[in-house]
Amino acid sequence: MALSIDQILKVAPVVPVMVVERIEDAVPLAKALYAGGLKVLEITLRTPCALDAITAMVEALPEDAVIGAGTIITPKDLDAAIKAGSTFLVSPGTTPALIEAAKASPVPLLAGVATPTEAMNLYVQGFTHQKFFPAEAAGGVPMLKSIGGPLPQITFCPTGGIDLAKAPSYLALPNVACVGGTWMAPKELMKAGRWDEIERLAREAASLPR
């Protein structure tokens, strides 16, 4: 049974946002993050092997792992990500074409916003859960706290510039379900194959209170 965005964002306090540059890294990376307690993984469509990485992860991980695609820009991206096996989609922003494609899609979209106006426009179209991006650059915790006053019915997953030290302040907000971040899988650790260290960082992130 497919999960809703609401259910997906409740799985763990942090969603790793991954850029997979080498296909051979895909499965060990996913297994390390999963073993550390981060079972919702976002693979960004920023590299040539991203779609293949998603498919490999879906095939290699247990059924309760939730593998999604980020950097969804166009309806074509949406279709390709679903065919690769994605069970959720994430966009940095929105366009009318993308929103219409998302409404017709069987796979839920976590659409990106940076302002109250964007959040309201998505909310009236049925998107109650949204990505706040780029979180730190767009005002961070104070901005989300301000938005929460007039728009308490919208729940956010802030992403962009958040690390282990900053995450707790976001997670303490009533309108934040979880945060997205990259800090648990630095490029240097991936290149070195330090999956044990990535698992440790994932476990640290998964233990954050919310």
Side-chain angles (χ1 to χ4, degrees):
M1 181 177 176
L3 296 177
S4 66
I5 282 293
D6 179 38
Q7 292 170 318
I8 291 169
L9 298 186
K10 288 178 179 177
V11 172
V14 180
V15 175
V17 181
M18 303 289 97
V19 178
V20 179
E21 297 180 346
R22 303 183 303 186
I23 188 62
E24 60 266 29
D25 292 338
V27 170
L29 171 63
K31 287 184 174 180
L33 293 169
Y34 180 91
L38 299 179
K39 298 182 178 182
V40 177
L41 310 179
E42 176 190 336
I43 311 306
T44 62
L45 302 188
R46 302 182 193 178
T47 62
C49 69
L51 292 171
D52 290 336
I54 290 169
T55 301
M57 290 179 179
V58 170
E59 293 174 351
L61 265 63
E63 287 188 4
D64 65 337
V66 185
I67 311 299
T71 322
I72 301 295
I73 307 297
T74 67
K76 183 179 179 181
D77 293 335
L78 183 147
D79 291 338
I82 294 173
K83 288 178 182 176
S86 302
T87 52
F88 72 99
L89 308 167
V90 185
S91 67
T94 59
T95 66
L98 182 59
I99 292 304
E100 289 309 308
K103 287 180 180 179
S105 169
V107 176
L109 173 70
L110 182 67
V113 301
T115 68
T117 297
E118 292 171 335
M120 290 168 60
N121 282 333
L122 279 180
Y123 178 75
V124 298
Q125 297 184 77
F127 294 84
T128 58
H129 292 71
Q130 303 169 12
K131 170 181 175 175
F132 181 62
F133 176 83
E136 283 290 289
V141 170
M143 180 68 154
L144 279 174
K145 191 178 293 185
S146 297
I147 291 176
L151 301 173
Q153 61 272 67
I154 302 175
T155 301
F156 295 96
C157 172
T159 304
I162 299 174
D163 57 21
L164 183 67
K166 294 173 183 174
S169 297
Y170 284 94
L171 293 170
L173 298 175
N175 59 342
V176 168
C178 61
V179 301
T182 62
W183 76 84
M184 68 294 301
K187 284 185 178 181
E188 59 270 19
L189 291 183
M190 291 175 63
K191 287 181 179 178
R194 291 294 308 278
W195 310 119
D196 56 336
E197 182 64 12
I198 288 175
E199 181 180 337
R200 185 191 70 77
L201 292 172
R203 186 170 290 109
E204 193 175 46
S207 68
L208 287 170
R210 58 173 173 173

